[in-house]
Structure formats: C-alpha cells, structure tokens
Amino acid sequence: MASSLGLGFPEFPGLPNFSFRGSSSSPLLATAALAAASALGLSLAFSSFTHFVHQDNVSHIGWASLSLANASCSPVERKTGEVFPEEVDGGRRLLGVGVRRANILGLKSIDVYAFGAYADDCDIKKLNEKYSVAALSELNDNKEFTADVLESDIPMTVRLQIVYGRLGIRSVRNSFAKSISTRLQKFSASEPSDIDQLLQKFVSFFKDEQKLPKGSVIELSREEGYVLRTRIDGNEVGQIQSKLLCKSILDLYFGEDPLDKSAKEEIQLNLASRLKTA
Ligand code: DAO
Ligand code: DAO
C-alpha cells in the first residue's frame, strides 16, 4: 500500500529521524508523524479506501485517524444492497463485504451472493507478537500477513447471503468443485492430505433437495482447531476438521486471487487496523 500511495514517508519537517519501521517502539512518534503528515496536507490517494468508509465520511477522514481509530466498514454491500449484521457468533465483527459474481454461459454476469467476513478483535491480536514492529501501512498490502491469517487458527466467519433467485444445487456443486478443489490442490503441496476424501465429505453436506432461494444465508466458519463449520439459515449441516479446507475456503475471500478484489482489500485493511488498535 505504501508504494501504491506513493508514501515513502521520507522527510517530515521537524521529524527528521522518523522511521516507520520502528514505529511500534515509539507509537507516539508514529502518531505524531501521521498527524503531521495529514496536517501538512499530504495528498493521499483515497480511491482504494472509499469502499470501507461510509462515503460521506471519506473527505473528513485523514490517514492518521484511519490508522488509529478502528477503520470500520459499512454493513451494506453496495452493488446488491445486502445488509449484514455488524457482529456474528458472539463477538466476531464485520471486516468487509463483497459480492460473488458469475457468468451464465459466458454471456451474462449475475450477482450470486453478497458476503461478509468476520473475526473477533481479541483473536486478531494473537498475531500481534509477530507484527508488533510493522506499521499499518506495511501490513495493509502485505502478502505474508494475509498468508498468516489464512494459516492461523483465528476463528472467522464468512456469511453468504444469496441474491440470485435461481441458484440450483448443481451449480453450487460445480462451482464449488472448481473454486475449492483448485485451492485444495494448490495448498496441499505443502500439506499432503486426502483431497478427494475431503471434497466428498464437504459436498455430502449439499443434499440434492437443499433449496437455496434468494435470501438464504450460508455461514462458513473456521472454529478453534481448524474446524470448518457450515450452516444454512442457522442450521448446522456439518463440520470438518481440516486446516487445508479452512484455508482453501477463506482463500476464496481474501487470498491471492479473491472472488472480489475490493472486498479482500477492505478485509485486509480492517484486519491490519484491528491488530494495531489497542
Ligand atoms: O444458474 O446457470 C446458472 C448460473 C449459476 C452460477 C452459479 C455460481 C455458483 C456460485 C456458488 C454459490 C455457492 C453458494
Ligand atoms: O462462490 O464459488 C464459490 C464458492 C462457494 C463455496 C461455498 C460453498 C458452500 C455452499 C454450501 C451450500 C450447501 C447447500
């Protein structure tokens, strides 16, 4: 992010020795520098931020306040108008929202579901030890940080709200096989596992008679010990203990090649900001 913003934080008049890297050991200095930066009217590219701050706040929010306050996100997914709960599963707070689009026969693009990702701030802070010396600007676009979140056993929930009215179980299975099995393959190189068995077990949750009308809610969550828990409209359909499966599912939403890029950015920024906020 630092580079895309053109922020090397080079020289701040009056703060000659300021170094972003060492900011955690001198949080006040970092704060002062950030405040100075915004006071100086350092022009920042806010375009990539606009999706996570309520639109009317954008012009009033400076980088300093963003980094220090809890960067909050709107519970409304703009393209679909879907509204998400601010909190689920006893304390997991919304990190970002997005939309899953798909092509029908390569002709027409449809919105299939809107999604929101959630985690508890206390759990996110478990990553603090490793990243205590990193500045927010460094974490925000940091591949290793995202990879660590995917790897970790931080409990998280991804809530899917179906908006497409004619979603059939066959499309779900096909799409699932495509998007998840590629990821299972990719990640299993470092974590040998019986992929077929995993896939079969997960797919067995999707019964032929299962209906997924518009308004259905699917919750996929990673629980302690890498247990993937699946719920449909609040009813649990199954649990599978597999680090690989948890990681592959979460990778869809904030991995390297996410379903919705701006959602991933929003999730990542909020993860970083909550890690940094005391
Ligand atoms: O009906 O032909 C069709 C198009 C459906 C597109 C399916 C995309 C499936 C996305 C997976 C949904 C998981 C809940
Ligand atoms: O959007 O391509 C995708 C992947 C969706 C993965 C989630 C599938 C879980 C669906 C459970 C439905 C059970 C009927």
Side-chain angles (χ1 to χ4, degrees):
M1 184 52 83
S3 55
S4 66
L5 289 174
L7 288 179
F9 290 96
E11 302 105 336
F12 292 114
L15 289 167
N17 296 324
F18 173 69
S19 142
F20 232 73
R21 217 159 254 288
S23 60
S24 75
S25 54
S26 52
L28 281 176
L29 181 54
T31 308
L34 284 164
S38 69
L40 283 168
L42 207 71
S43 83
L44 299 172
F46 269 108
S47 59
S48 64
F49 293 154
T50 51
H51 55 273
F52 71 87
V53 246
H54 296 277
Q55 189 115 56
D56 38 295
N57 285 340
V58 170
S59 54
H60 314 301
I61 284 190
W63 172 255
S65 46
L66 260 185
S67 60
L68 300 169
N70 253 348
S72 63
C73 62
S74 165
V76 181
E77 198 292 308
R78 292 242 192 87
K79 296 184 199 99
T80 57
E82 287 290 304
V83 181
F84 285 82
E86 309 249 6
E87 196 179 298
V88 299
D89 295 339
R92 296 183 198 174
R93 289 204 301 134
L94 191 59
L95 290 162
V97 296
V99 63
R100 188 330 180 196
R101 313 202 80 200
N103 279 313
I104 304 188
L105 305 171
L107 292 171
K108 195 173 125 193
S109 182
I110 49 159
D111 296 339
V112 183
Y113 59 80
F115 62 87
Y118 297 82
D120 189 318
D121 293 6
C122 299
D123 293 319
I124 296 170
K125 287 190 199 308
K126 287 181 195 155
L127 293 168
N128 223 340
E129 208 169 299
K130 175 164 178 186
Y131 290 102
S132 63
V133 294
L136 177 64
S137 58
E138 288 170 357
L139 283 184
N140 192 28
D141 198 20
N142 183 325
K143 287 205 167 96
E144 192 183 343
F145 175 57
T146 319
D148 280 341
V149 177
L150 287 173
E151 280 288 321
S152 74
D153 68 346
I154 293 177
M156 294 186 106
T157 300
V158 181
R159 178 183 164 101
L160 320 182
Q161 299 183 181
I162 309 291
V163 294
Y164 180 59
R166 282 177 295 166
L167 188 61
I169 202 72
R170 265 190 37 212
S171 325
V172 176
R173 283 210 192 99
N174 288 343
S175 156
F176 175 78
K178 263 190 250 152
S179 46
I180 305 286
S181 63
T182 356
R183 285 168 167 86
L184 288 171
Q185 308 274 3
K186 177 174 138 193
F187 294 132
S188 65
S190 57
E191 238 173 273
S193 220
D194 190 338
I195 293 182
D196 286 342
Q197 206 189 343
L198 263 182
L199 265 178
Q200 257 183 18
K201 190 161 177 198
F202 192 71
V203 168
S204 74
F205 297 162
F206 318 160
K207 306 278 182 242
D208 286 341
E209 61 277 14
Q210 178 72 50
K211 298 273 181 284
L212 289 174
K214 185 173 161 62
S216 305
V217 174
I218 299 173
E219 286 158 292
L220 302 161
S221 60
R222 172 171 67 191
E223 306 298 340
E224 217 184 304
Y226 302 100
V227 172
L228 179 80
R229 184 173 175 218
T230 307
R231 283 163 288 175
I232 302 175
D233 293 331
N235 302 314
E236 188 165 308
V237 294
Q239 291 195 359
I240 300 179
Q241 199 272 330
S242 162
K243 185 173 175 180
L244 181 61
L245 187 59
C246 289
K247 183 171 163 185
S248 302
I249 297 247
L250 295 177
D251 185 75
L252 280 169
Y253 303 100
F254 53 92
E256 283 212 350
D257 183 19
L259 288 173
D260 179 335
K261 211 158 169 271
S262 68
K264 177 218 162 121
E265 286 168 10
E266 181 181 29
I267 293 166
Q268 192 172 24
L269 179 69
N270 275 305
L271 280 167
S273 132
R274 288 184 198 173
L275 179 74
K276 290 278 143 197
T277 315

